[in-house]
Amino acid sequence: MRVAIAGAGAVGRSIAAELLENGHDVLLIDVDPAAIKIDSVPRAEWLLADACEIASLDEAGLNNCHVVVASTGDDKVNLVVSLLAKTEYGVPRVVARINHPNNEWLFNESWGVDVAVSTPRLLSALVEEAVSVGDLVRLMTFRQGQANLVELTLADDAPVVGQRAGSVPWPVDAALVAILREGRVLVPTADDPLEAGDELLFVANQEVEQELAHLLSQH
């Protein structure tokens, strides 16, 4: 894939390095000359430009990008970059970083955002995930307000333990996408039994999260 990253700070450079390791083409864009640290990610393309300006994005060739990542430390910039990427260039996938939790409600499809990543929310979710068994934890939001990636670790007395994944009456708009078990990632089939200690990952509509939690945790 060709990926453009707006914001060449520590976050943007880390994302770029990871994507390059995975064989993708990466362009880093930043308006601050001090952020253009080519030696830090030498295999990336670099562009000193304002990612909020159409002329800069034309120069960056955004129309040829499969993914745009808005990763600056300024939420206003990230929203503008996301909107331009989606509406002016039709970029298939736009990922945006949320810096301030109060702005989270803005990062949705009306601003061109496909996936919004809130560092404070992710950190708090990981803390909750580390200490909770039997509680539903929201890890990430896709198209704000429509679908979330949620996790629940099955307690020993969870009612679905021992049942096959295909026999559980999952709520509408909730899909079991992975089972993490003893260090392995399992793609669930209808015949897979659910075991105590399984970490279940769902993509679920926010409206059915409570129903899903009740199904998995009722005693």
Side-chain angles (χ1 to χ4, degrees), residues 40-133:
S40 63
V41 194
R43 290 165 51 205
E45 297 175 51
W46 290 78
L47 179 63
L48 175 61
D50 185 348
C52 293
E53 295 183 355
I54 290 288
S56 299
L57 299 180
D58 283 343
E59 185 180 354
L62 235 64
N63 54 312
N64 295 320
C65 289
H66 303 93
V67 182
V68 164
V69 182
S71 70
T72 79
D74 187 326
D75 284 345
K76 295 189 296 295
V77 171
N78 291 344
L79 286 170
V80 171
V81 170
S82 298
L83 185 63
L84 291 175
K86 184 64 72 174
T87 60
E88 296 295 325
Y89 298 93
V91 176
R93 190 163 183 81
V94 177
V95 180
R97 169 190 176 188
I98 305 171
N99 295 279
H100 199 292
N102 288 350
N103 296 330
E104 193 169 334
W105 65 278
L106 287 165
F107 285 75
N108 56 33
E109 60 184 342
S110 67
W111 277 94
V113 177
D114 293 307
V115 179
V117 181
S118 170
T119 303
R121 166 172 282 191
L122 189 56
L123 289 173
S124 64
L126 290 172
V127 169
E128 292 176 23
E129 188 272 334
V131 298
S132 61
V133 171

Side-chain angles (χ1 to χ4, degrees), residues 121-122 125-126 129 137-141 149-151 201:
R121 166 172 282 191
L122 189 56
L126 290 172
E129 188 272 334
V137 177
R138 187 183 302 169
L139 297 176
M140 188 177 295
T141 297
L149 178 66
V150 297
E151 178 272 346
L201 293 176

Side-chain angles (χ1 to χ4, degrees), residues 114-219:
D114 293 307
V115 179
V117 181
S118 170
T119 303
R121 166 172 282 191
L122 189 56
L123 289 173
S124 64
L126 290 172
V127 169
E128 292 176 23
E129 188 272 334
V131 298
S132 61
V133 171
D135 293 327
L136 199 70
V137 177
R138 187 183 302 169
L139 297 176
M140 188 177 295
T141 297
F142 304 100
R143 294 189 182 275
Q144 174 69 15
Q146 293 189 27
N148 299 314
L149 178 66
V150 297
E151 178 272 346
L152 184 139
T153 300
L154 288 179
D156 292 344
D157 58 352
V160 298
V161 168
Q163 295 187 38
R164 297 186 183 277
S167 67
V168 178
W170 304 116
V172 175
D173 293 332
L176 177 63
V177 294
I179 301 172
L180 308 185
R181 180 183 297 158
E182 298 177 351
R184 298 177 57 214
V185 179
L186 307 176
V187 178
T189 68
D191 290 330
D192 283 331
L194 301 175
E195 300 179 4
D198 280 354
E199 191 172 346
L200 306 182
L201 293 176
F202 296 86
V203 173
N205 187 297
Q206 185 171 333
E207 295 178 357
V208 303
E209 286 182 9
Q210 188 171 356
E211 182 183 350
L212 185 61
H214 180 70
L215 173 68
L216 294 170
S217 304
Q218 62 182 330
H219 304 302

